[in-house]
Amino acid sequence: MQHYNQTNNSLMTQPPEMISSKDLLYLTDMMSWNLSVIKKANFLAKDCKLTETKQALDKLCQMHERHYQVLLNFTKSQSNQMVH
C-alpha cells in the first residue's frame, strides 16, 4: 500500500484500506456533486441543437457517471468493513 508523502510530492495510487467516517462523508458529498453535474449536463444536452456540444455534454455525463460508480463501489466496500 502506497501512502501520500508530502516530501516527495508523490500521489497516492490506491486508497488506504480503512478511511475515517469524515472521509466517508466527504466521498458522499463528491457523489452528490457528480450527480448534480450529470443532471445538469443531461438537461442541457436534451435541448442542445449543436451536435458537437451535445456530444461533449454526453461525454461529460459518461465521465461523471463513471466517477460516481467508482465512488459508490468504494463507499459500499468501506461501509461493509465498518459494519464487520
Side-chain angles (χ1 to χ4, degrees):
M1 177 170 49
Q2 183 178 0
H3 294 281
Y4 179 75
N5 186 341
Q6 287 183 322
T7 58
N8 67 6
N9 292 326
S10 64
L11 295 177
M12 184 185 302
T13 58
Q14 200 170 327
E17 290 180 27
M18 292 292 291
I19 62 171
S20 70
S21 298
K22 185 175 181 178
D23 290 335
L24 199 53
L25 289 172
Y26 182 71
L27 291 172
T28 304
D29 285 343
M30 290 173 62
M31 290 170 57
S32 177
W33 301 331
N34 276 283
L35 282 175
S36 178
V37 170
I38 293 166
K39 288 177 184 179
K40 290 176 184 178
N42 272 326
F43 176 78
L44 293 172
K46 183 178 64 171
D47 294 328
C48 188
K49 305 293 185 227
L50 301 173
T51 304
E52 288 181 12
T53 304
K54 181 172 177 35
Q55 288 173 344
L57 289 166
D58 289 338
K59 190 174 179 180
L60 179 75
C61 286
Q62 292 170 3
M63 178 189 68
H64 283 283
E65 286 171 359
R66 283 191 311 272
H67 292 175
Y68 177 84
Q69 198 60 48
V70 168
L71 291 169
L72 179 63
N73 292 339
F74 182 73
T75 55
K76 280 183 179 179
S77 71
Q78 291 297 308
S79 294
N80 289 340
Q81 285 183 10
M82 293 174 105
V83 171
H84 293 99

